[in-house]
Amino acid sequence: MTVTWRHLPAPAREIAVAATAAVEAAQARDSAAYDGAVPRLAGADRAGLVLGGVVRLLLEQAHPDGLDSDDVRQVLERCVRAAATWRPDVDPHVVLVLLAGALGVYDPGDDDTPPAPAAVAAHVPLLVVDLLAVTGVPFAGCLEAAFAEVARTERHDD
């Protein structure tokens, strides 16, 4: 079933379309499609926030009792190893930053520069695909839930 995302406002729809294209390309391990989808995802305003929510939701599904450092290491290793079979440019540090950011524990401090939006866009679909495979949760449902969480947070911040 193809989701059209017509019910979303234009900025959210752009995130949904770009993210879906990147995730589907990653699931198919289609490098050409992935290389075409990632720049669109990188250009979608607030995509990182929404996809961080997707990663957090998937981590909660995969680890309902919480994550410890061994769980994080296992997710990182599994994701990087799987992605490296078709994306030799996968950067474990970027995946680790994405995991830490989704868990709310990433602090770049003085010694670390956050990954560029292009690097985030190139890596977050790889992490999402890994977690989707583990949880069996449909991507569209996770994306909808992440949009709802962002909207809820924005309403409470106003």
Side-chain angles (χ1 to χ4, degrees), residues 2-150:
T2 301
V3 178
T4 63
W5 305 109
R6 287 185 207 142
H7 63 286
L8 295 174
R13 188 176 329 120
E14 177 59 23
I15 293 169
V17 169
T20 300
V23 166
E24 288 176 351
Q27 286 173 320
R29 296 179 177 221
D30 183 338
S31 287
Y34 196 73
D35 290 341
V38 165
R40 184 174 183 185
L41 184 58
D45 187 37
R46 303 186 71 189
L49 175 67
V50 174
L51 290 173
V54 169
V55 170
R56 186 180 60 259
L57 291 167
L58 289 168
L59 286 168
E60 290 170 357
Q61 284 284 327
H63 302 274
D65 295 329
L67 282 92
D68 61 22
S69 60
D70 288 336
D71 295 326
V72 172
R73 184 175 51 252
Q74 181 184 36
V75 171
L76 174 66
E77 288 176 358
R78 186 184 60 233
C79 175
V80 170
R81 284 189 177 138
T85 62
W86 69 282
R87 298 297 304 179
D89 58 344
V90 65
D91 184 341
H93 178 73
V94 175
V95 177
L96 179 60
V97 168
L98 293 171
L99 281 166
L103 295 170
V105 296
Y106 177 66
D107 179 12
D110 295 333
D111 298 331
D112 193 17
T113 303
V120 170
H123 287 76
V124 74
L126 303 174
L127 182 55
V128 167
V129 165
D130 175 74
L131 293 168
L132 289 171
V134 168
T135 63
V137 175
F139 178 63
C142 288
L143 196 52
E144 287 279 1
F147 279 126
E149 182 62 29
V150 169

